[in-house]
Amino acid sequence: MLPDGTLTPSALSLKDLRWLIHWDREKCALCGRCTAVCPVGAIELGALRQRAVRASLLGEPEPTSLCGPYQVVYGLVQRTDPAHACTGCGMCAQVCPNQAILPYRNEEEDKLRFHFSQGGQPRRRGGRRNDPAPGLLDRIKFIRISMLTDPALDAIRHEFELRTLLGRVLPPEEGLRLFLEEGWTPPVREIYPLIVGGMSLGALSPTMWEGLMLGVAYLNEELGLPVRISTGEGGCPPRLLRSRFLKYVILQIASGYFGWDEIVRAIPEMKEDPCAIEIKYGQGAKPGDGGLLLWYKVNELVAAIRGVPPRVSLPSPPTHQTLYSIEESVAKMIQSLSMAWGFRVPVYPKISGTSTALAVLNNLTRNPYAAALCIDGEDGATGAAYEVSLNHMGHPIASNIRDCYLNLVKLGKQNEIPLIAAGGIGKHGNLAANAATLFMLGASAVQIGRYLLQAAAGCLGSEADRCNVCNLGLCPKGITSQDPRLYRRLDPDKVAERVVDVFLSFDLELRKIVAALGRSTSLPIGMSDALGIDDYHAAERLNIKYVV
């Protein structure tokens, strides 16, 4: 490959780029498909001058054309400007009819990272952390196997009740007192322990969001799996708010309150109550920071749902305005939202993984209106975040959930407030094993998002910083783009089919795990004696067994 010859002072050489493109001139038909599909314009068709020497009888070169001892050839040129650096998504290789092109990782130390900060702004990107190493959840094993001590179960033929509760479960005496004094008991929902995490219509394309909703509806209506989906920040379409499928939806409200004008207006016309209300205070990808939807993705549809002008960036504040403590949050936010639905809907907060999670939990235990606590660990993905937040901020989810659960055990409330874990579950493909590990560490349910984008829609991003242009609306698969030329590449029916496949395979793998433990009537929440790890310090930290 040759540079295009139009380098700017800030441009790099090819060997300084993170991804290089191998192009086979002999196979290439110059059809232009690769240049048309490249999301960042990393390659372009160009005219190159190539030296052509033909030896004569006198040993001197003879010109082969009127241009002298050179000839003009047409081919592909990789651009070297940081704004058009190849992201390694591989779409060019997927559309090439002759297998003439392929991106590959630069084995040398790339210098691109030093050139991203332009105009005084640090790099902002979407996707995942730059951490391809296996996480702690993948190293934990299940070591308590039922054999002769108690009978193991048949995962295929035995009936399992793999459900969990979303909502405050008060002790009988306290629940009776609350009912006699106030005529009310906290609402509780029976749901499937695998929840589709908050990915908004705006962060995702219309076809991707529609595919997720179709899959969730099919799982509930046809297969009887009570799967729930969170809307993410940004509301949801008015038709969904007024349909019977709203009962499968967790409405999320974040600090920007985008889309909530439409939700409030639709409350009198709702045929069903939503499953729950999730108040987002933070997320694992950018702890302590608000959400952000860049203007590239705010088209007319997204703007109408969120009640804003089109083509403007939508940043959310770091905190909910007028709420500056957990006491205020419980008193104002949780109670007021509970009141809006007649105290029939569970309301709970979602926070980033942090060492202060125990303080939040302790305050929630003192108020019966708080239905649960969702914690998003450091491996959570996002549509747009600064790289420093993605890679260097946050708390691992395993130890955070474990600390919270053991704290509930000390208070005698471990069966009262559900803990929902999120962030990096299934990061390396081990979805059921990661989820079961978190159940045994104390979680009552888990949320996934990135896993579904990879498994159901073929997301090309990775922890090695491949693709990850979710923030720019240039997703080559059409998963996170609001450009109709891109999102029409995605078939919502196919996405729905794959969503159903993911949940069915998860259900079977989870049954395989709990059957070997001898459990069938409930999730093994807090069953930490079944876990072991070959790291002594990790075993001590999580209060599980050390095995070598």
Side-chain angles (χ1 to χ4, degrees):
M1 293 298 300
L2 296 173
D4 58 6
T6 58
L7 302 181
T8 65
S10 63
L12 308 175
S13 65
L14 282 176
K15 64 181 180 180
D16 293 331
L17 299 180
R18 185 166 295 166
W19 294 91
L20 302 179
I21 299 174
H22 171 74
W23 172 59
D24 191 333
R25 181 187 167 195
E26 300 298 327
K27 294 182 179 179
C28 182
L30 296 179
C31 63
R33 295 184 184 181
C34 54
T35 57
V37 81
C38 181
V40 294
I43 50 178
E44 60 184 0
L45 290 172
L48 308 174
R49 191 174 70 161
Q50 178 175 312
R51 186 176 181 85
V53 178
R54 184 177 63 186
S56 66
L57 296 177
L58 301 177
E60 298 178 356
E62 295 182 359
T64 57
S65 68
L66 297 178
C67 299
Y70 297 96
Q71 62 179 354
V72 177
V73 296
Y74 298 96
L76 295 181
V77 173
Q78 181 175 358
R79 304 175 70 175
T80 57
D81 191 279
H84 299 281
C86 175
T87 62
C89 68
M91 280 299 293
C92 54
Q94 293 189 29
V95 301
C96 181
N98 301 323
Q99 299 180 347
I101 191 170
L102 181 70
Y104 64 97
R105 188 65 180 254
N106 187 2
E107 297 297 334
E108 299 181 13
E109 181 67 21
D110 69 83
K111 298 178 182 176
L112 189 61
R113 68 193 71 179
F114 301 111
H115 294 261
F116 272 129
S117 299
Q118 296 183 352
Q121 288 289 321
R123 187 189 181 201
R124 182 193 290 132
R125 65 177 176 84
R128 307 135 176 83
R129 300 173 72 214
N130 287 344
D131 182 17
L136 179 68
L137 292 177
D138 295 314
R139 297 168 55 195
I140 296 177
K141 305 295 182 183
F142 309 110
I143 60 173
R144 186 189 183 280
I145 310 300
S146 297
M147 299 296 286
L148 294 177
T149 53
D150 47 350
L153 304 174
D154 191 323
I156 304 298
R157 299 178 180 87
H158 199 87
E159 292 187 2
F160 291 83
E161 192 63 33
L162 301 179
R163 302 291 187 270
T164 191
L165 298 178
L166 176 59
R168 189 66 167 267
V169 183
L170 295 177
E173 59 278 4
E174 188 175 347
L176 180 61
R177 179 192 62 78
L178 190 64
F179 178 76
L180 293 176
E181 293 180 1
E182 302 184 20
W184 172 79
T185 54
V188 179
R189 304 280 195 265
E190 185 181 63
I191 66 171
Y192 197 69
L194 187 64
I195 303 171
V196 181
M199 297 177 288
S200 67
L201 177 55
L204 298 184
S205 66
T207 49
M208 184 65 204
W209 213 80
E210 181 185 357
L212 289 176
M213 280 303 310
L214 287 173
V216 169
Y218 186 87
L219 287 165
N220 281 273
E221 302 279 328
E222 300 295 330
L223 301 181
L225 285 182
V227 177
R228 300 296 181 259
I229 178 173
S230 174
T231 61
E233 179 182 11
C236 58
R239 284 184 61 188
L240 179 59
L241 292 172
R242 294 165 174 82
S243 74
R244 63 186 176 88
F245 301 107
L246 184 62
K247 60 187 174 183
Y248 308 138
V249 175
I250 299 173
L251 297 177
Q252 185 187 99
I253 181 170
S255 55
Y257 302 96
F258 295 119
W260 268 78
D261 287 344
E262 182 64 39
I263 292 175
V264 171
R265 284 195 295 266
I267 288 178
E269 304 172 22
M270 288 182 178
K271 297 178 181 178
E272 298 278 354
D273 290 331
C275 172
I277 307 297
E278 182 178 78
I279 309 173
K280 192 192 84 170
Y281 291 91
Q283 61 189 98
K286 42 188 172 186
D289 199 0
L292 174 63
L293 189 68
L294 294 174
W295 68 270
Y296 312 101
K297 303 170 72 171
V298 186
N299 61 8
E300 286 73 14
L301 172 63
V302 174
I305 292 175
R306 299 195 178 208
V308 297
R311 302 303 173 190
V312 296
S313 294
L314 302 179
S316 299
T319 60
H320 287 260
Q321 304 303 301
T322 74
L323 299 178
Y324 296 101
S325 68
I326 186 62
E327 290 85 4
E328 278 190 312
S329 173
V330 172
K332 294 180 181 178
M333 196 75 166
I334 295 180
Q335 277 185 251
S336 62
L337 285 173
S338 298
M339 190 182 302
W341 275 272
F343 298 95
R344 301 185 304 270
V345 177
V347 183
Y348 65 91
K350 174 183 177 179
I351 63 173
S352 306
T354 169
S355 59
T356 60
L358 287 179
V360 176
L361 181 63
N362 285 330
N363 278 276
L364 295 179
T365 59
R366 296 196 288 265
N367 194 297
Y369 295 100
L373 175 63
C374 178
I375 303 176
D376 196 5
E378 64 174 351
D379 279 321
T382 181
Y386 288 109
E387 195 168 53
V388 66
S389 298
L390 277 170
N391 294 342
H392 303 288
M393 297 182 68
H395 197 294
I397 187 60
S399 56
N400 225 182
I401 284 290
R402 188 61 174 159
D403 289 344
C404 290
Y405 180 77
L406 293 178
N407 187 65
L408 289 176
V409 171
K410 291 178 182 178
L411 299 175
K413 296 180 180 291
Q414 67 271 26
N415 297 320
E416 185 173 324
I417 298 183
L419 298 174
I420 303 173
I425 301 163
K427 176 180 176 180
H428 295 283
N430 305 315
L431 178 59
N434 290 172
T437 299
L438 286 167
F439 296 150
M440 296 179 200
L441 291 176
S444 296
V446 297
Q447 286 188 357
I448 60 169
R450 165 180 52 186
Y451 186 94
L452 282 175
L453 302 188
Q454 292 174 312
C459 171
L460 299 168
S462 75
E463 279 73 21
D465 200 14
R466 184 167 72 112
C467 196
N468 292 345
V469 291
C470 322
N471 56 319
L472 302 178
L474 297 174
C475 175
K477 285 285 190 175
I479 301 170
T480 62
S481 174
Q482 301 303 326
D483 186 340
R485 295 172 298 178
L486 296 176
Y487 68 67
R488 284 172 184 164
R489 298 174 181 175
L490 205 60
D491 185 350
D493 292 330
K494 296 295 183 183
V495 172
E497 290 178 13
R498 288 292 299 136
V499 169
V500 173
D501 289 340
V502 167
F503 274 87
L504 291 180
S505 62
F506 171 86
D507 189 70
L508 178 57
E509 288 192 1
L510 185 59
R511 281 188 277 127
K512 284 285 187 181
I513 294 171
V514 298
L517 302 178
R519 300 288 294 266
S520 64
T521 57
S522 63
L523 285 176
I525 300 174
M527 190 178 172
S528 58
D529 64 321
L531 300 178
I533 191 171
D534 60 355
D535 186 320
Y536 177 79
H537 298 289
E540 288 291 309
R541 177 69 179 84
L542 299 176
N543 195 19
I544 61 177
K545 292 186 178 180
Y546 169 59
V547 292
V548 289

